[in-house]
Amino acid sequence: MVLNTQYQSTADCQQEGMLPFGDIEPPSKGALDGTIPNGNVGANPFSVANEADLVKSDSDKAATSDNSDSPGTARKQEHGDETKYIEVLGYDYKPQPASMPSWLPNTSSHGKSSWSSSELAKYTNESRTILMNNKAIAPQTLDPDSDSLLILTPVKNNADHLARYFALVDKLKYPRDKISLAFLVSDSTDNTQQMLIESKKWYQEQAPEDMRFKRFDIFRQDFFYALPRDQRHLRDKQRDRRIMMARARNYLWTRALENEQWVLWIDGDLEYYPPSIVHDLMAYDKDVIVPNCLVRRKSGQDKWKHTVYDRNAWQETRKSRSMIKKLKDDDFLVEGYKSLKTHRKYLDNFAKNETIVPLDGVGGTFTLVKARVHRSGVGFPAWLFQHQVETEGFAKLAKANGYGVFGLPFYYVRHVIPVRAKLREKEGSCTARIRRLMTNRRWMRTKSVTTVMIALVLVCILTVMLSMRHLDGAFNHPFLGGQEKSKETKYVETLGYNYLPQPKNTTTWLPKLTLNGKPSWNSSELASFSTESRSVLKNNKAIAPHTLVPDNDSLLILSPLKNNADHLERYFELIDSLEYPRHKISIAFLVSDSTDETQQLLMEAKQWYQEHSPEMRFNRFDIFHQDFFYSLPRNQRHLFAKQRDRRIMMARARNYLWTRALGNEQWVLWIDGDLEYYPPSIIHDLMAYDKDVIVPNCVIRKKNKRGKWRNKLYDLNSWQETRKSRSLLESLDDDTFLAEGGDSPYITDRKYLNDFDEDEGLVPLDGVGGTFTLVKAHVHRSGIGFPTWLFQHQVETEGFAKLAKANGFGVFGLPNYNIRHVTE
């Protein structure tokens, strides 16, 4: 006879004068010594007195489930025309109506859900069916939109180039309804943001239908990093500068990427690319592909010559690999400096017959990426990965995860002439003239020293004036006049804030429509804006002084599921018990490789919560389906030999879910689908510590030798390094994988949460599990996901903790704040 735990609701237990799961003695320590903020322990029951109170036989359950007319077994309505869709990478799955008893609760008189154990028993014993695949309940699909494209552009002080940017985008020979645009404005001191707001309104509201983008998003996130323009390319500034650029790129793609199939990174200051370039690059069907980015420079006799601009696209050579082997782990490599010869092969070093070549590094001027690369958690490292960061680190990381990275040496795009190059040319010509003048001995003999000094001063003034020409110098800004707010003003979302720009009387920089309905971009419009309308603003917020109150406590609950049908009712009952504002909670699931009806039940739950019960509605309720075609017999799940591949697949699932579901929430909560209990106050309790990553102690009930139930540590993935464990790490090869517990050949001697004293509250950790993990959303937005590659010998959740700490985030645990996992 198989024994299953009967789950009792907190309300039922309170009516019987007991705590859930038996008579519990509250912890003598923890609430009184500061382990839990404000002394709020919640119900924390972990000493079970009587097994009989918790266990029900199968015959008892069958007897309970015979009453089909019980209040908790309301018949499920036919889906009909109201069938909900589940988005699956461009697919919309339309489930067939299934005639099975509803497992969802009734709504009580006060609007709350009423769960009962009889419903769980009835579903478990009568309604379960094994499906060949979840797609069997969703055979009807819409055609996948396999060519949808998301163009991403981070911009900073880009006002001078926006007219050209949109003129080039308009010339693209690509279906406009398949293109989405997203911008990140950061640390700008010109009116880039205001111009983007105007352009969004023009394209999405005033332009013809065939000119409108599928989406046009503008985000604002300042990183408070400024570097004088004359220091931008100093070698000692590159590491910090490129890390900030990586953070900006990571924020943008994690915020903007939805169900698109392709991501195109475009610099905001390109001068030209062919209208057919998107089709041309997609035709190669590569994971990552870049053209050759050139720049025009003047050679002798005032002739223009094209040279390679983007030195970040390169291929390793035998010499460069030999050089890398001699580097220290903390050495940072960057291209384009005579003082650092990397011996790499750039795109202009290939032969004419080499049309497409594999690369090891890429730049970000024009980079086409399959969206699945980002969804697998591959972003732009803000930490050193194989001595690289940002775009080159992205290429290295993509290749380490099995993706292909390629370049087209003889397919060209062109970048605008950098300001520093313009200054160098102008300053060079002036300097040459002065030098010729100063070296004229006859002139020197006839002029006094005073005249020479005056000439030198004039040269200095001229140089300063030339260097300042690139600055936005006109202060007669037409936006600074005020008007009353318009009701039609659009908002710009930024991490919970909504920027409300004030409409101004401005000379528009946007194009006029020609007779054929297309926009007319011309150099006069660009010149008019550049010379008349530009100004330097103290901060972009000056054009958006009115903000809404930020929703700092919005929460996204994420749960990846596989064959979880047996546990879903307990899952939702625990969610319903949370003492947290329901309208601040969003919830998202990823169903992958399931062979039971998990997906069907989630669809029913979504309909019930979002349509049937207004008081119980979540802010969002999303369901995603992505199979990874990986299966492992249950009796092999914890074998060490299987752990590396298994955990990598779990990391891929987690990365897909958070990159797909994360919106503008402030917190992310990872919850396993098969937890047995956690206190209703747990979210407030954990948030009160205000840590980047924090986990409670997850335990499990097991029988001891005397047949009594005892709580034992379940999640061995939450640990702290010790002197012995660090010594072990130093002795391992780089490719050695570590996993805790099971039949692991390595004794790590790490300190788990149950190894801490009872009077210890918050403790720093080096690894975490994923049973119940609260994360500040800005950790994920900085590009920190779950490594599918070895990072300091770890993958998935432990790798996430290591990666978070390497990027300066804090990772903590609560040894004496307990939750409980179901007995396996």
Side-chain angles (χ1 to χ4, degrees), residues 114-134:
S114 173
W115 297 90
S116 69
S117 58
S118 62
E119 291 170 354
L120 177 60
K122 185 174 181 63
Y123 171 73
T124 302
N125 291 283
E126 293 183 358
S127 302
R128 188 184 310 121
T129 58
I130 302 299
L131 307 178
M132 289 294 294
N133 189 286
N134 255 19

Side-chain angles (χ1 to χ4, degrees), residues 46 695-702 710-720 740-741 750-756 769 771 814-822 824:
F46 298 106
V695 295
N697 190 1
C698 185
V699 300
I700 190 172
R701 293 189 311 118
K702 287 192 175 182
R710 289 292 182 265
N711 290 306
K712 298 184 65 176
L713 181 66
Y714 174 79
D715 197 345
L716 294 175
N717 297 330
S718 295
W719 38 259
Q720 187 184 86
E740 306 301 310
R750 284 162 167 164
K751 191 173 184 179
Y752 306 114
L753 284 178
N754 64 334
D755 295 329
F756 291 90
T771 54
L814 298 173
N816 296 296
Y817 192 110
N818 297 323
I819 64 173
R820 190 160 67 202
H821 196 277
V822 297
E824 294 185 335

Side-chain angles (χ1 to χ4, degrees), residues 187-479:
D187 299 309
S188 274
T189 55
D190 68 358
N191 43 333
T192 296
Q193 180 170 301
Q194 177 68 27
M195 293 172 67
L196 287 175
I197 294 171
E198 293 177 0
S199 61
K200 177 177 181 178
K201 183 175 183 180
W202 187 87
Y203 276 106
Q204 304 303 89
E205 300 178 18
Q206 300 173 5
E209 291 287 340
D210 61 350
M211 291 294 297
R212 296 181 183 179
F213 297 99
K214 184 179 179 182
R215 287 196 344 264
F216 193 127
D217 296 327
I218 308 167
F219 304 102
R220 169 95 195 197
Q221 175 62 38
D222 290 329
F223 299 97
F224 307 103
Y225 180 80
L227 196 63
R229 189 168 276 275
D230 59 349
Q231 297 183 26
R232 283 184 60 196
H233 295 280
L234 294 180
R235 181 180 164 187
D236 62 342
K237 303 291 185 181
Q238 290 311 294
R239 184 168 178 172
D240 290 341
R241 174 176 173 260
R242 300 293 299 281
I243 284 174
M244 287 297 170
M245 293 169 67
R247 291 180 61 192
R249 290 185 185 275
N250 287 329
Y251 179 90
L252 180 54
W253 77 261
T254 58
R255 191 64 191 85
L257 180 59
E258 293 190 355
N259 68 326
E260 292 81 14
Q261 307 302 300
W262 297 87
V263 174
L264 177 59
W265 292 92
I266 301 182
D267 262 11
D269 51 356
L270 289 181
E271 189 173 72
Y272 175 78
Y273 48 79
S276 63
I277 188 170
V278 175
H279 283 299
D280 295 343
L281 268 58
M282 283 183 179
Y284 287 96
D285 195 31
K286 301 299 182 184
D287 297 314
V288 182
I289 190 169
V290 295
N292 192 353
C293 185
L294 308 177
V295 66
R296 293 186 308 137
R297 300 187 191 276
K298 274 192 176 181
S299 60
Q301 299 177 351
D302 289 339
K303 290 185 178 180
W304 289 97
K305 180 181 178 181
H306 284 99
T307 60
V308 172
Y309 173 80
D310 196 346
R311 294 287 176 183
N312 297 330
W314 39 258
Q315 186 185 87
E316 297 284 16
T317 63
R318 182 171 53 83
K319 284 187 176 181
S320 68
R321 291 190 179 95
S322 177
M323 182 266 298
I324 288 173
K325 290 179 181 179
K326 300 176 184 178
L327 297 176
K328 298 178 182 178
D329 291 341
D330 196 45
D331 286 339
F332 167 64
L333 292 180
V334 64
E335 305 302 312
Y337 296 89
K338 294 180 180 179
S339 59
L340 178 62
K341 293 184 178 180
T342 60
H343 305 287
R344 285 161 168 166
K345 193 173 183 180
Y346 305 112
L347 286 178
D348 58 341
N349 299 138
F350 290 91
K352 285 284 187 181
N353 60 344
E354 295 181 279
T355 306
I356 181 169
V357 296
L359 296 180
D360 298 286
V362 297
T365 53
F366 200 102
T367 307
L368 184 66
V369 182
K370 287 186 177 178
R372 66 186 174 100
V373 178
H374 285 318
R375 286 199 185 96
S376 69
V378 179
F380 299 88
W383 66 96
L384 279 186
F385 183 80
Q386 298 180 11
H387 307 286
Q388 308 290 162
V389 297
E390 209 229 345
T391 54
E392 300 103 308
F394 164 74
K396 291 272 190 178
L397 195 54
K399 295 195 73 171
N401 279 268
Y403 297 110
V405 180
F406 293 86
L408 303 175
F410 300 99
Y411 193 108
Y412 301 120
V413 301
R414 192 165 67 201
H415 197 277
V416 298
I417 302 174
V419 172
R420 58 192 176 93
K422 291 180 180 179
L423 293 175
R424 193 182 301 117
E425 290 171 6
K426 294 176 181 178
E427 292 168 4
S429 60
C430 291
T431 305
R433 293 172 186 171
I434 296 297
R435 188 182 298 113
R436 288 194 299 269
L437 186 63
M438 296 292 289
T439 54
N440 188 321
R441 294 183 179 179
R442 182 179 301 174
W443 182 86
M444 289 291 293
R445 286 197 300 267
T446 59
K447 302 299 178 181
S448 65
V449 176
T450 304
T451 306
V452 174
M453 295 301 296
I454 293 173
L456 290 175
V457 171
L458 291 174
V459 170
C460 294
I461 294 174
L462 180 61
T463 302
V464 172
M465 291 176 63
L466 287 171
S467 65
M468 292 182 64
R469 285 191 62 182
H470 70 279
L471 295 176
D472 299 330
F475 289 89
N476 54 338
H477 191 266
F479 292 143

Side-chain angles (χ1 to χ4, degrees), residues 627-684:
D627 289 330
F628 299 97
F629 307 103
Y630 180 81
S631 61
L632 193 65
R634 193 161 190 84
N635 60 352
Q636 298 183 23
R637 283 182 60 200
H638 297 286
L639 295 178
F640 178 80
K642 305 292 185 181
Q643 286 310 294
R644 184 168 179 171
D645 290 342
R646 173 176 173 262
R647 298 294 299 281
I648 285 175
M649 287 297 169
M650 293 169 68
R652 290 181 61 190
R654 289 186 185 275
N655 286 330
Y656 179 91
L657 181 54
W658 78 261
T659 58
R660 189 64 192 83
L662 181 59
N664 68 330
E665 292 81 14
Q666 307 302 301
W667 297 86
V668 175
L669 176 60
W670 292 92
I671 301 183
D672 262 12
D674 51 357
L675 290 180
E676 191 173 72
Y677 176 77
Y678 47 78
S681 63
I682 188 169
I683 295 178
H684 285 298

